[in-house]
């Protein structure tokens, strides 16, 4: 009795294995809280509370967005419904929970318990149709012709049912039934590779004197250290016969070796030297054995800062040949995985860092491409580390920075099978059972600050904004009063504000945005913040007033705009379109109309000077053009060459540029300052080892702000059914 009363007070609604608490706006399954962003949660609650009535799309739009924020509500509703179906493991073909009613809206069709609202008979019942009086003609036997028609109809229906059943059954829907820890070590355990028998896992770990390769029996916590070189070892790949492990050993910032070793350690064999750049380091996998163990597929670039291609190394002859004779597109290819029958290769093709498509390439018996690769559709961002199931038709992979586990078959769209609360990386599978291993990155991005005196660090770095959620992309307001940043404390990436000293954090936007990316930019009067957001998929630019929180959409033209920066007079916004290569635009801040400039990224005006700085994804350096006359025709000059995107980590001031200097392969190494007057650069301080991006300078130039990763990384096991 007491339990029932408590549930009623908490407004707990049950359906299937789920409980929806509309008071706390939480969704649980068997007591485990599920991750669902704020807007999809609002839509789910609305549908459940109106069950089993149809809820129109207009009602959803008014309930979730209202009239204050102008967004593409149609796309927003579609996004919310997809997210709900993904969490509930529902689908639109055979829905168990949400039924799409064409041209009307959506209906929640599952039985619910605990729904507290007054119900009228008209809501749930259909008035019976009056029964017509029977006549002898009605009661007589059907005509033989009618019987034949009925039999044909029944047979046709049976064929249709069988066809639908076959279609559904040919792609079994998997789901994650359990996620459990494999390692519980300090530091970062990553890059897992399961042995062919599924009993052992090889991985890299930085828990002792550097990063090395370890092997461990599943169920134990006593790993065997396999490598002992002073260099950094990572990305192990177990051979199909279980007798060898190939891995990557970093020699310099841009040079690595592919090395072979026994799972028990001992003598090593260097197979091949490769160029391995930072730009493809987030691929999650760099090595893959062919199913017969005769070839090793790897990622390499011909020279630093060039495209990364896939190559095949013969384990018998040592001969190396490119997989694609014409090379890769965009930034290159990574995450290779051969199907068990050797007829397919899955891989990720990067058009830009953290922006990839999952490809399936059919192969000849000689492992040569047969036709063009197939793009796996319905992925929502950055798919990586595909693994094949035993049928050589089904793949499971990670996407959206690892918080989604997806399933797809050759020629079929992808579908969500698990929404993770942690960022998963490096998915691996042994081919036996349905047990997968991944590394779970417990990200804890926090904003730190470093005091500077002139161009020298003054004291130790200190925490500025921190929580158990993610805080990143800091930016000080021009008047020095506030700090803007992005955070997912509310369950979605939103823009937040704090005092300049990090206190009194408050949420500014409530878009439920798919991404709020790069540092939110301030208007010159410090009264509004400009940023890009994906609501839900196409990136556009928005402005939020800091006093009222009212948000307005500035741009609407497809394919959208990202990474905005405000001109010094506030009348224009510089942004880029996410094409290949990325294109710079100047946007009217009042009307949203745009003018194309030239290829590039991160455009920023220099205060007090008629100069526009920008960078490029495919070339290092910071470039400058004069804003006098026809900007597009003015010559460009490269001011410095040790800057690399995608960090957006340079900050112009009137006399120079604060920026993050990088190594030859793009790894951040130091906070630096470039002087316009002297053309020289000085180092302020080295970047911390756990630096992940961002660089802001307060107006009096006494403090830098940036983002670090204070989290840990362990291996976890995913059991599917």
């Amino acid at each position: 009795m007491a339990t029932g009363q408590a549930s009623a007070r908490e407004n707990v609604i049950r359906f299937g294995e789920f409980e929806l608490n509309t008071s706390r706006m939480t969704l649980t399954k068997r007591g485990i809280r599920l991750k669902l962003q704020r807007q999809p949660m609002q839509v789910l609650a609305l549908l459940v509370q109106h069950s089993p009535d149809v809820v129109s799309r207009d009602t959803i739009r008014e309930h979730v967005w209202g009239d204050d924020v102008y967004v593409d509500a149609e796309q927003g509703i579609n996004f919310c419904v997809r997210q709900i179906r993904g969490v509930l493991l529902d689908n639109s073909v055979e829905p168990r929970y949400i039924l799409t009613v064409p041209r009307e809206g959506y209906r929640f069709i599952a039985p619910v318990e605990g729904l507290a609202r007054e119900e009228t008979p008209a809501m749930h019942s259909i008035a019976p149709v009056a029964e017509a009086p029977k006549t002898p003609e009605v009661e007589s036997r059907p005509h033989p012709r009618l019987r034949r028609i009925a039999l044909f109809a029944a047979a046709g229906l049976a064929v249709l049912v069988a066809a639908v059943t076959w279609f559904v059954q040919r792609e079994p829907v998997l789901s994650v039934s359990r996620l459990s820890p494999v390692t519980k070590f300090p530091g970062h355990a990553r890059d897992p590779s399961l042995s062919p028998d599924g009993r052992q896992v090889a991985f890299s770990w930085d828990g002792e004197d550097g990063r090395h390769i370890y092997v461990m029996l599943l169920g134990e916590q006593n790993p065997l250290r396999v490598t002992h070189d002073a260099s950094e070892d990572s990305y192990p790949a177990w051979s199909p016969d279980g007798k060898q492990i190939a891995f990557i050993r970093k020699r310099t910032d841009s040079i690595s070796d592919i090395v072979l070793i026994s799972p028990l350690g001992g003598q090593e064999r260097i197979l091949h030297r490769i160029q391995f750049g930072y730009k493809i380091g987030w691929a999650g996998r760099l090595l893959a054995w062919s199913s017969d163990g005769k070839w090793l597929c790897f990622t390499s670039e011909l020279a630093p800062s060039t495209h990364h291609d896939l190559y095949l190394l013969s384990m018998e002859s040592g001969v190396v040949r490119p997989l694609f004779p014409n090379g890769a597109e965009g930034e290159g290819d990574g995450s290779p995985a051969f199907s068990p029958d050797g007829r397919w290769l899955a891989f990720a093709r990067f058009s830009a860092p953290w922006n990839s498509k999952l490809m399936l390439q059919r192969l000849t018996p000689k492992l040569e491409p047969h036709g063009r690769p197939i793009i796996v559709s319905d992925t929502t961002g950055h798919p990586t580390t595909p693994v094949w199931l035993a049928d050589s038709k089904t793949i499971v992979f990670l996407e959206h920075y690892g918080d989604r586990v997806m399933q797809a078959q050759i020629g079929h769209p992808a579908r969500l099978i698990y929404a993770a609360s942690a960022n998963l990386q490096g998915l691996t599978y042994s081919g036996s059972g349905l047990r997968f291993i991944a590394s779970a990155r417990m990200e804890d991005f926090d904003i730190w600050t470093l005091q500077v005196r002139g161009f020298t660090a003054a004291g130790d770095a200190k925490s500025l904004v921190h929580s158990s959620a993610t805080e990143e992309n800091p930016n000080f307001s021009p008047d020095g009063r506030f700090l803007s940043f992005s955070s997912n404390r509310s369950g979605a990436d939103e823009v937040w504000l704090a005092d300049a000293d990090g206190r009194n954090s408050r949420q500014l936007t409530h878009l439920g945005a798919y991404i709020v990316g790069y540092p939110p930019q301030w208007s010159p009067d410090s009264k509004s913040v400009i940023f890009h957001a994906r609501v839900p998929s196409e990136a556009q630019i928005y402005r939020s007033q800091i006093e009222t929180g009212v948000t307005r959409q500035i741009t609407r033209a497809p394919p959208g705009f990202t990474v905005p920066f405000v001109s010094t007079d506030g009348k224009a916004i510089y942004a880029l379109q996410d094409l290949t290569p990325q294109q710079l635009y100047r946007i009217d801040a009042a009307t949203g109309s745009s003018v194309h400039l030239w290829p590039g990224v991160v455009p920023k005006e220099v205060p007090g000077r008629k100069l526009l700085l920008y960078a490029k994804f495919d070339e290092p350096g910071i470039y400058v053009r004069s804003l006098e006359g026809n900007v597009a025709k003015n010559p460009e000059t490269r001011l410095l060459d040790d800057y690399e995107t995608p960090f957006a980590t340079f900050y112009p001031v009137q006399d120079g540029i604060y920026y993050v200097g990088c190594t030859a392969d793009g790894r951040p190494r130091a906070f630096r300052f470039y002087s316009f007057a002297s053309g020289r650069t000085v180092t302020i301080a080295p970047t911390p080892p756990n630096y992940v991006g961002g660089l802001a300078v307060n107006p009096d130039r006494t403090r830098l702000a940036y983002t670090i990763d204070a989290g840990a990384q362990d291996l976890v096991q995913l059991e599917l059914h």
Side-chain angles (χ1 to χ4, degrees):
M1 183 69 178
T3 303
Q5 291 173 348
S7 298
R9 287 195 299 270
E10 287 288 338
N11 293 326
V12 176
I13 303 173
R14 300 176 182 84
F15 52 91
E17 301 174 307
F18 301 91
E19 286 191 356
L20 174 65
N21 189 318
T22 57
S23 300
R24 302 181 181 180
M25 294 301 285
T26 59
L27 179 67
T28 59
K29 179 180 180 181
R30 300 176 186 171
I32 300 175
R33 184 168 177 173
L34 303 178
K35 184 178 180 181
L36 192 62
Q37 295 180 3
R38 182 179 62 88
Q39 289 177 331
M41 185 73 78
Q42 288 178 305
V43 175
L44 175 61
L46 182 68
L47 295 178
V48 171
Q49 289 171 329
H50 286 76
S51 170
D53 296 342
V54 176
V55 180
S56 70
R57 294 176 70 89
D58 285 341
T59 300
I60 295 174
R61 176 185 59 77
E62 294 173 3
H63 177 76
V64 176
W65 286 278
D67 297 322
D68 290 335
V69 178
Y70 295 95
V71 299
D72 188 346
E74 292 301 307
Q75 292 294 326
I77 293 171
N78 295 339
F79 169 77
C80 289
V81 173
R82 285 198 302 268
Q83 295 298 303
I84 296 168
R85 282 175 169 156
V87 170
L88 300 182
L89 300 179
D90 199 16
N91 66 79
S92 59
V93 178
E94 286 193 333
R96 294 182 298 157
Y97 298 104
I98 298 177
L99 173 69
T100 301
V101 182
R103 296 181 296 279
E104 293 188 40
Y106 300 93
R107 172 186 290 160
F108 195 84
I109 59 176
V112 298
E113 300 177 7
L115 185 60
R117 66 180 176 95
E118 294 183 1
E119 299 174 349
T120 62
M123 293 172 61
H124 292 283
S125 61
I126 300 175
V129 178
E131 188 175 345
K134 295 182 180 180
T135 64
E137 287 77 14
V138 174
E139 293 177 348
S140 61
R141 289 186 177 181
H143 191 276
R145 182 181 177 187
L146 295 179
R147 284 204 307 272
R148 287 196 297 273
I149 293 174
L151 288 174
F152 280 124
L157 180 61
V159 171
L160 178 62
V161 170
V164 171
T165 302
W166 174 83
F167 179 83
V168 173
Q169 290 180 346
R170 69 175 176 170
E171 186 182 0
V173 180
L174 302 173
S175 63
V176 175
S177 60
R178 186 170 177 242
L179 191 149
S180 56
V182 173
T183 63
K184 297 179 181 179
F185 305 149
H188 294 74
R190 69 181 199 203
D191 311 327
S193 176
L194 272 171
S195 61
D197 61 9
R199 298 178 57 197
Q200 301 180 80
V201 61
F203 59 98
S204 70
W205 179 37
D206 60 359
E208 296 180 343
D209 57 341
R211 180 166 293 280
H212 304 287
I213 304 300
Y214 293 79
V215 171
M216 187 179 72
L217 282 168
L218 292 178
E220 296 187 359
Q221 291 290 308
N222 299 307
L224 170 68
R225 179 170 165 179
V226 176
T227 64
H228 298 269
D229 193 272
S231 302
E232 178 180 302
D233 299 332
S234 55
Y235 301 106
W238 218 301
S239 64
D241 61 7
K243 296 180 179 179
Q244 301 174 98
I245 294 174
F247 63 93
I248 301 292
R249 171 167 290 160
K250 178 183 174 183
R251 293 300 187 187
T252 68
D253 288 333
S254 59
I255 301 296
S256 297
D257 288 333
I258 301 176
V259 185
L260 202 64
I261 195 170
S262 164
L264 300 176
Q267 187 174 358
E268 299 176 348
R269 174 186 166 197
I270 298 177
L271 299 178
H272 189 67
R273 177 150 291 186
I274 64 174
Q275 294 277 160
F276 167 52
Y278 179 72
K279 288 185 177 181
I280 209 75
W282 40 82
R285 183 186 301 131
L286 297 179
L287 300 173
W289 291 84
S290 62
S291 56
D292 58 9
K294 295 181 178 181
W295 295 88
L296 190 64
C297 184
F298 64 91
T299 298
S300 182
E301 57 183 356
L302 295 177
S305 301
T306 59
H307 299 301
H308 290 72
D309 295 319
L310 291 177
Y311 296 86
L312 291 172
L313 168 66
S314 170
M315 300 303 294
E316 296 176 352
S317 66
V319 171
V320 173
R321 61 179 173 88
L323 180 66
F324 297 103
N326 296 326
E329 301 173 1
E331 293 295 333
D333 299 337
S335 286
F338 288 97
S339 62
D341 62 9
R343 298 175 61 187
W344 291 88
L345 178 77
F347 64 96
R349 173 156 289 172
F350 290 81
S351 59
W354 293 294
N355 188 359
S356 61
K357 294 180 180 178
L358 193 62
M359 319 290 285
L360 302 179
Q361 175 64 62
R362 188 162 188 170
L363 302 173
T364 68
K366 295 182 179 180
L367 299 188
E368 297 172 341
H370 180 69
R372 293 186 59 83
I374 301 171
I375 299 176
V376 178
S377 62
D378 286 9
T379 62
T380 58
H382 192 46
T384 60
T385 55
V387 294
W388 292 87
L389 300 192
D391 61 4
S392 292
K393 297 178 181 179
T394 307
I395 56 172
V396 176
F397 60 95
L398 304 175
E399 73 163 2
H400 189 236
Y401 312 107
D403 61 3
R404 291 183 175 90
V405 183
M406 307 290 289
Q407 171 192 344
Q409 279 197 335
I410 299 172
H412 291 264
R415 64 177 69 191
L416 176 71
I417 61 175
Y418 183 65
S421 58
N423 290 335
L424 304 178
Q425 298 176 352
L427 192 67
T428 181
Y429 175 61
S430 67
S432 59
L434 285 176
R435 182 170 61 188
F436 298 75
I437 301 292
S439 64
R441 185 184 178 96
M442 307 303 179
E443 286 186 343
D444 183 14
F445 284 10
D446 297 327
I447 297 172
W448 280 56
T449 183
L450 176 67
Q451 285 197 326
V452 294
R453 186 178 297 111
F455 304 114
T456 305
D460 296 330
K462 298 180 180 180
S463 175
L464 184 60
V465 180
H466 64 90
S467 75
S468 58
T470 291
E471 284 81 30
E472 55 185 334
N473 302 318
N475 204 7
F476 292 101
S477 62
D479 62 10
R481 296 175 57 201
F482 300 110
L483 179 78
S484 64
F485 59 97
S486 60
S487 177
N488 62 2
R489 298 186 197 186
S490 64
D493 293 317
E494 301 284 359
V495 178
W496 284 64
L497 299 177
D499 295 342
D501 60 5
R503 294 182 294 182
N504 301 319
S505 296
R506 63 184 176 91
Q507 185 175 344
L508 177 63
T509 65
H510 298 80
L511 292 176
Y514 194 55
I515 294 177
V516 175
Y518 287 92
Q521 299 298 303
W522 287 91
S523 61
D525 60 7
S526 298
K527 293 183 178 181
S528 61
V529 173
I530 293 89
F531 56 93
H532 88 251
R534 302 179 187 269
V535 188
S537 56
E538 184 179 81
Q540 297 291 355
I541 296 175
Y542 298 80
R543 179 195 298 270
S544 286
Q545 301 293 329
I546 66 168
E547 292 297 329
T548 64
V550 172
T551 300
R552 295 288 186 269
Q553 184 173 343
I554 297 176
T555 61
R556 296 182 181 275
F561 297 91
T562 62
V563 198
F565 293 94
V566 184
S567 63
T568 54
D569 61 8
K571 296 180 180 180
I573 298 170
Y574 297 96
L576 65 92
Q577 283 193 339
D578 196 10
L579 303 172
T580 303
Q582 286 75 19
Q583 302 292 320
L584 297 183
Y585 283 79
R586 180 184 172 97
I587 300 165
D588 188 294
T591 66
S593 60
S594 61
V595 176
H596 176 254
L597 298 178
W598 53 78
V601 295
V602 201
K604 300 184 181 184
E605 277 191 16
V606 179
R609 293 173 178 259
K610 293 288 187 178
L611 297 176
L612 183 68
L613 305 177
Y614 58 97
K616 301 178 181 181
F617 256 135
D618 55 353
E619 295 180 32
I622 295 177
Y623 299 78
V624 63
R625 293 194 195 213
S626 170
L627 289 173
E628 301 284 357
N630 189 334
V631 183
K633 292 185 177 180
N634 290 335
E636 71 175 18
T637 302
R638 185 162 71 173
L639 299 179
L640 49 91
D641 58 7
D642 63 337
Y643 172 84
E644 286 270 2
T645 53
F647 293 105
T649 43
F650 69 83
Y651 191 95
V653 292
Q654 189 167 2
D655 59 333
I657 310 168
Y658 290 87
Y659 73 101
V660 173
C662 297
T663 60
D665 70 338
R667 299 174 188 268
R669 66 182 182 88
F671 299 118
R672 312 193 78 194
F673 181 80
Y674 169 86
S675 169
F676 290 133
S678 67
R680 296 180 178 179
T681 299
V682 296
T683 294
I684 300 171
T687 53
N690 53 352
Y691 169 83
V692 294
L695 176 63
V697 183
N698 68 337
D700 63 10
R701 296 164 61 173
T702 60
R703 282 195 297 156
L704 309 181
Y706 52 90
T707 306
I708 67 167
D709 182 4
Q713 198 167 5
D714 270 311
L715 304 187
V716 294
Q717 178 175 284
L718 295 84
E719 294 182 12
L720 278 67
H721 68 272

